Each structure stands twice: as C-alpha cells, then as structure tokens.
Amino acid sequence: MFLDTDFLQNSEISLQLDHTVAGRDGWLPTYHFRILLADGTEAGRCDLRVGHSAGVFYGGNIGYHVYEPCRGHHYAGKACLLLFELARRHGLDYLYITCNPENIPSRRTCEYAGGALEAIVDVPADNDMYQRGERKKCIYKFSIN
C-alpha cells in the first residue's frame, strides 16, 4: 500500500518519511513526514491521507505545520506540491486541504499551492474537530491530475 517516497524533494526542501499509519476504523492510510531544508534543518511536519472519506472532506488529505523560525518561505505550500506527486502515484486526481477561516497563513498556503476555495462549511457536531471547538472549515480542492 505505501510507496517509496525518496523522490519527495526539490532544491529547497525534502520530505523525510517519519512513519506511516495503516488505514483502519474509518481512518485513511497516512504518511507522516518531516520537512527538511537543504542544510538538514527541520522546518516542520506534514502528512498525506490517501483516499477520500466524509472525514477527510472536513479534515483534509494534507496537514502541515511549519515551525515559527521557518515561516514566511512557503515551505508548507512547497511541501504540498511535493505531496501532490505522491498522491498522483496513488491514483488520486484531487485532494482537499482544509483550514479554519481565520487562519490566514494557511489560506495563503492553499492559494500558493493552487487550491480553489470550494466552500466554507459548518463542521458536523459528530466530527472530532467539533469536539475540539472547531465550528467552520474552509474547504480547498486541488485538481492534481
């Protein structure tokens, strides 16, 4: 199920596989990566959830976090662009990335990576994000074929 990921790099960053989690109990198979700069500095983390489900519509196929000292260089967006190729190799032709409406940096990341804002939706009360206090999500769709 999981593929080789050694190709996930460009001249600025590489994605180093940290671990994978098999899909089970309604959760999709997931790759977890460290975002590394060319000099080996860890700039953040990202993950790719492979497939589509009701949960991933609200939670997204890709998640990312860039550490404070490394922000402002589009590393999250560049990581997304690399992850799109891995998703294509899994046969996916579109992905969702979601964020809270007030998270302007994440919205800019989605725009940088070529996403189209599909909707701003209410999080269902039975979703785990709702239980954590999240009420709305921006849903960005990415055509990656």
Side-chain angles (χ1 to χ4, degrees):
M1 174 64 198
F2 292 103
L3 305 176
D4 175 65
T5 61
D6 290 341
F7 66 93
L8 296 174
Q9 58 187 336
N10 61 31
S11 62
E12 290 182 78
I13 65 168
S14 63
L15 303 184
Q16 180 183 66
L17 184 63
D18 185 59
H19 66 282
T20 58
V21 178
R24 60 178 166 60
D25 300 327
W27 295 89
L28 297 173
T30 304
Y31 293 86
H32 294 268
F33 296 95
R34 296 177 347 143
I35 302 170
L36 301 179
L37 304 182
D39 68 3
T41 301
E42 185 173 333
R45 300 269 177 156
C46 63
D47 57 68
L48 171 67
R49 292 172 281 284
V50 180
H52 297 290
S53 67
V56 88
F57 178 77
Y58 296 99
N61 291 99
I62 293 176
Y64 45 78
H65 176 77
V66 174
Y67 304 141
E68 185 71 37
C70 298
R71 292 181 182 165
H73 302 279
H74 300 292
Y75 294 140
K78 292 170 185 175
C80 290
L81 295 173
L82 292 171
L83 290 174
F84 292 169
E85 178 56 31
L86 181 57
R88 278 191 285 274
R89 292 183 184 196
H90 274 283
L92 299 176
D93 57 359
Y94 70 93
L95 296 174
Y96 290 111
I97 299 176
T98 69
C99 64
N100 294 337
E102 66 278 3
N103 187 340
I104 301 304
S106 192
R107 292 180 76 165
R108 287 188 182 135
T109 292
C110 290
E111 293 163 3
Y112 173 89
L117 180 62
E118 189 167 282
I120 298 176
V121 299
D122 293 325
V123 176
D126 63 348
N127 187 288
D128 61 323
M129 291 181 292
Y130 187 93
Q131 307 308 319
R132 292 191 309 258
E134 299 181 50
R135 297 298 185 256
K136 293 199 175 286
K137 287 290 176 182
C138 294
I139 310 293
Y140 286 88
K141 187 172 185 178
F142 298 78
S143 296
I144 61 168
N145 52 1

